[in-house]
Amino acid sequence: MNDRTVETAAETQTPDTARASGGFLRHVVDRLRPGDPDDAVLAEADGLVPSGPGFQTYAVNFVVLTIFSASIASLGLLADSGAVVIGAMLVAPLMGPITAAAVGIVRAHNVELVRAILLIALGTSLAIATGWIVAAITASDVASAAELPREIATRTFPSLIDLGVAITAGAAAGFITTRPSINSALPGVGISVALVPPLAVVGITLQGGLNEASANALLLFATNLAAIVFAAAIVLLWSGLRPRVERGRRSVGIRLLVTLGFVAAIAFPLTLHTRQTVRDRDLNRDVLAAIAEWDPDVRVVELDVTLSGERADVVIDAVGPNGSPEAWALAGLVRARTGYDVELELNFEV
């Protein structure tokens, strides 16, 4: 009898709990959404890239800051200094035109959108050219992708994680744009998503003849660009920004679908890159496990594993106290763990 009473009471309370939870969530959403933006907010959003007489001064400052930012980023990348690269992100002015492009989409203002796109194209070209020039001046001769500094190498293999970061950063940019009181947080968005460093990497790797690395770095920038614009536009719509004229409302959906199409097109190669990253990580782990089984006393100094079709090319630099055991035995263990045919090169020191 008591059990039925408890069960009935629990069932009675469940809808109230759900209503309370739903009411709380609606309250949070209502507080986050600023409502219809006032004229000051609209003027600030529309003025991210100034028009009229102020545009020339803005454009000159944009060019100078882009060159400075790309120069700092290039030197930091070549020196393998993360702190210097972060400093370059603070100087970079690209976040302004990118956010302005999102506003142009939502407000259905073609002039603003085209102006923002032209500035993005200009900044992209300048940053790549600056990276190339800095690499040429510093005589930074990188013969292969394996010799790239870590700060450069990490920007030549984008993944779905980078897409997620860019979408989140774009949403943050849209959120900040309609709230002038927190505009000081916008540089933090630029730091999190890193717009100029990938472009500097494109120039550096092009100068070194590493075309595949250049293409991957450019893919990273394209990922950041498309995802930021799309996510920022969605949040701007949610925040109340609308086209200036009624007939522009129909074109907003088309513009958003085109932007989403770019994001989807970029997501495909990123998915392939992510799968390759997971495969390479698992392959390296299996090779290390095979080495530990082969001789627990061996210390691996350097390991390079490359897949060529159904064959794993494994190069191992190792040291150990027991002399050099049979390499064929290690190759058999690697084959058993990975399932690939193995081409093994072992450099062993006692």
Side-chain angles (χ1 to χ4, degrees), residues 144-200:
S144 68
E147 298 177 8
L148 289 172
R150 181 179 177 278
E151 286 292 329
I152 295 179
T154 55
R155 291 172 172 85
T156 60
F157 211 88
S159 69
L160 289 174
I161 293 177
D162 297 297
L163 179 61
V165 171
I167 289 174
T168 308
F175 187 82
I176 293 168
T177 299
T178 55
R179 292 162 176 81
S181 61
I182 57 173
N183 273 351
S184 59
L186 195 58
V189 176
I191 293 174
S192 67
V193 78
L195 294 165
V196 169
L199 295 175

Side-chain angles (χ1 to χ4, degrees), residues 88-126:
M89 299 178 201
L90 283 169
V91 179
L94 271 172
M95 200 67 199
I98 291 175
T99 309
V103 173
I105 289 173
V106 172
R107 300 277 280 161
H109 196 284
N110 292 332
V111 174
E112 287 183 357
L113 180 58
V114 170
R115 188 187 299 122
I117 290 173
L118 289 176
L119 281 171
I120 293 169
L122 175 62
T124 300
S125 303
L126 284 173

Side-chain angles (χ1 to χ4, degrees), residues 40-112:
V41 172
L42 291 176
E44 184 157 348
D46 292 337
L48 285 171
V49 174
S51 57
F55 177 74
Q56 184 175 357
T57 301
Y58 177 88
V60 171
N61 292 337
F62 177 83
V63 168
V64 173
L65 285 177
T66 299
I67 294 173
F68 282 156
S69 174
S71 299
I72 296 168
S74 300
L75 293 169
L77 290 164
L78 291 169
D80 208 14
S81 172
V84 175
V85 175
I86 291 174
M89 299 178 201
L90 283 169
V91 179
L94 271 172
M95 200 67 199
I98 291 175
T99 309
V103 173
I105 289 173
V106 172
R107 300 277 280 161
H109 196 284
N110 292 332
V111 174
E112 287 183 357

